[in-house]
Amino acid sequence: MFISHFSLSNFRNFTNLKVDLPPGLIVISGLNGQGKSNLLEALYLLSIAKSYRTNAEREMMSWNTQLVAHEALSEVTAQTIVTGVIKQDNNLVQLIVGLRPLANENPGGRTVQKQIRVDGLPTSAANAVGLINAVLFTAADVDLVLGSPSGRRRFLDIVISQVDRIYLRTLQRYQKVVSQRNALLRSIREGRATPTELDFWDAELEKEASVIITKRNEAIEQLSSLAINAYHGLNTAEKLAVIYQPSVDVPALASTLASQRATEIRAGVTTFGPHRDDIALLINEMSASNYASRGQARSIAFALRLAEASFLKVRRNQEPILLLDDVLSELDTNRRRRVLEEATAYQQVIVTTAEPMLTENTHVRPESLLWLSNGILS
């Protein structure tokens, strides 16, 4: 699988970009602030149907586009469009993600309408996820190790969702259940509802949470061995362990819901469930989040991303596209060589860097070298 054609219209600092891409290693270089991360954000948008950098979709739209929409001018001009043509085996698939701000709201609170089309036919975001399998490496990945559990949960959710639509829909339903249940807990605390009204939402939470916990357990079993092998290639002197830590096990869901009811009513929130899970990362049996150096954390994060790529390759029987956003400068020469060699085992790898010479002194040679300046590729 690889992206053979890619185009952007009014996406962040890109007004109009069209580029044909070959398989192999593609290096996109340019000075800082030219849009290299924006470019990979758009590519990854095609894979997960949302931005990995922001929850506010209007931030992906160019400022001029937002102004045009605010002035209620041409709807065509006011659209942000990301298009990718994917070659998979002998088939071509076109995926389009369009963003259009609703013109009747002020710029600070504008709602964005998102439309997705596959080969010209409209589809939902849930159906679009996984049509393009991609793995994104960024310098911020160190937060997978040193950051909060929410980042590790998001990593796991994105990995599983790309290969399992049932999981994605279950996760969406679970999030709605937790939101509704939290509102009810607050109402009970304030005397506007009775505790027996929780019975329905407890049953819904148990049903959806059981599926999520089970599927996360299955995924971690595979990802753990893949990450351990990848980390060994980066650091042979240390042993990595990756362990799923659910806040509650499936058999204990019902009893925990009952025993924690009074506590949760006082708190006004659901205090356990998949939204409170974590992934423990250990180096030589020590917590990496507490004891790992920045260099160790960076290597663990790379191992997790390489494990993600291998997981997608096995589960989908298709090689994912690898996107490396300005990460080479974070690595020493040996690790840089190792990462590039591992990455270029895949059909297409797109690397951005402000220092193109970092790809030198390795056995890897780019298929294409592109220069990005002011939103223009040459």
Side-chain angles (χ1 to χ4, degrees):
M1 175 185 293
F2 68 96
I3 296 179
S4 63
H5 179 78
F6 182 62
S7 65
L8 295 176
S9 177
N10 300 321
F11 184 91
R12 292 197 185 266
N13 69 314
F14 292 94
T15 301
N16 187 23
L17 172 73
K18 295 180 180 180
V19 60
D20 293 322
L21 299 173
L25 174 62
I26 301 167
V27 176
I28 300 174
S29 58
L31 300 177
N32 290 328
Q34 301 304 305
K36 300 188 298 297
S37 293
N38 295 345
L39 188 62
L40 291 199
E41 177 187 18
L43 285 164
Y44 199 50
L45 173 70
L46 293 173
S47 178
I48 65 172
K50 61 182 180 180
S51 169
Y52 78 94
R53 298 164 74 187
T54 178
N55 290 323
E57 293 183 323
R58 63 187 178 86
E59 292 181 9
M60 292 186 285
M61 310 183 74
S62 68
W63 181 242
N64 286 338
T65 298
Q66 296 188 44
L67 289 177
V68 166
H70 182 56
E71 294 169 5
L73 299 178
S74 167
E75 289 190 359
V76 174
T77 307
Q79 291 181 359
T80 290
I81 300 174
V82 179
T83 303
V85 176
I86 307 93
K87 188 168 186 180
Q88 184 174 348
D89 298 326
N90 293 320
N91 299 318
L92 291 177
V93 177
Q94 183 192 64
L95 180 59
I96 300 174
V97 178
L99 304 173
R100 184 172 67 87
L102 301 182
N104 60 346
E105 297 189 16
N106 62 66
R110 185 179 299 115
T111 300
V112 172
Q113 182 184 48
K114 179 163 63 179
Q115 296 178 321
I116 301 175
R117 291 182 177 271
V118 177
D119 289 337
L121 300 177
T123 191
S124 66
N127 286 332
V129 172
L131 289 177
I132 300 176
N133 283 136
V135 177
L136 176 68
F137 301 68
T138 75
D141 279 348
V142 70
D143 289 339
L144 288 174
V145 182
L146 303 178
S148 68
S150 62
R152 292 183 284 275
R153 287 194 299 270
R154 187 171 188 268
F155 160 77
L156 187 56
D157 288 339
I158 288 175
V159 173
I160 304 173
S161 295
Q162 289 196 76
V163 300
D164 189 338
R165 288 204 176 107
I166 292 176
Y167 179 84
L168 175 58
R169 292 190 175 94
T170 302
L171 188 65
Q172 292 170 335
R173 288 195 299 270
Y174 175 79
Q175 291 166 344
K176 292 178 181 177
V177 168
V178 170
S179 178
Q180 293 287 340
R181 190 172 184 273
N182 286 348
L184 179 56
L185 285 167
R186 291 190 292 272
S187 293
I188 296 170
R189 183 180 62 185
E190 295 163 6
R192 295 183 288 109
T194 62
T196 56
E197 294 179 60
L198 279 170
D199 292 345
F200 170 79
W201 293 109
D202 285 1
E204 291 296 298
L205 186 144
E206 183 180 358
K207 180 178 69 174
E208 308 299 353
S210 297
V211 175
I212 294 169
I213 295 168
T214 300
K215 288 183 177 290
R216 283 180 176 177
N217 259 316
E218 293 170 352
I220 284 292
E221 284 186 12
Q222 292 179 268
L223 285 166
S224 176
S225 60
L226 294 169
I228 289 168
N229 290 336
Y231 189 74
H232 182 75
L234 295 170
N235 191 331
T236 59
E238 297 170 347
K239 184 178 179 181
L240 175 68
V242 182
I243 303 169
Y244 176 43
Q245 293 183 320
S247 63
V248 59
D249 292 320
V250 171
L253 273 167
S255 61
T256 305
L257 281 164
S259 65
Q260 294 298 308
R261 175 171 286 192
T263 300
E264 291 187 322
I265 290 172
R266 287 193 299 271
V269 294
T270 304
T271 59
F272 66 95
H275 64 293
R276 297 295 181 94
D277 291 352
D278 198 0
I279 301 171
L281 302 169
L282 309 177
I283 299 179
N284 294 337
E285 301 183 352
M286 301 287 286
S287 170
S289 63
N290 293 330
Y291 298 105
S293 67
R294 295 283 296 185
Q296 287 173 317
R298 200 170 289 122
S299 294
I300 294 171
F302 270 112
L304 290 173
R305 290 303 186 191
L306 291 172
E308 177 184 356
S310 297
F311 178 87
L312 294 177
K313 180 179 178 180
V314 171
R315 290 287 296 268
R316 293 296 301 272
N317 198 29
Q318 286 283 344
E319 292 184 354
I321 299 158
L322 302 194
L323 309 172
L324 281 67
D325 187 18
D326 202 20
V327 296
L328 298 181
S329 60
E330 300 280 334
L331 303 172
D332 59 40
T333 302
N334 184 56
R335 285 191 174 92
R336 189 184 309 134
R337 176 188 57 80
R338 178 65 176 164
V339 166
L340 283 173
E341 288 175 352
E342 289 280 351
T344 50
Y346 290 83
Q347 189 171 14
Q348 188 178 57
V349 186
I350 302 175
V351 177
T352 65
T353 179
E355 305 172 82
M357 71 288 299
L358 293 179
T359 60
E360 298 175 0
N361 301 321
T362 70
H363 301 298
V364 177
R365 291 292 175 265
E367 184 69 28
S368 181
L369 291 167
L370 300 173
W371 175 259
L372 178 63
S373 179
N374 294 321
I376 298 173
L377 274 175
S378 58

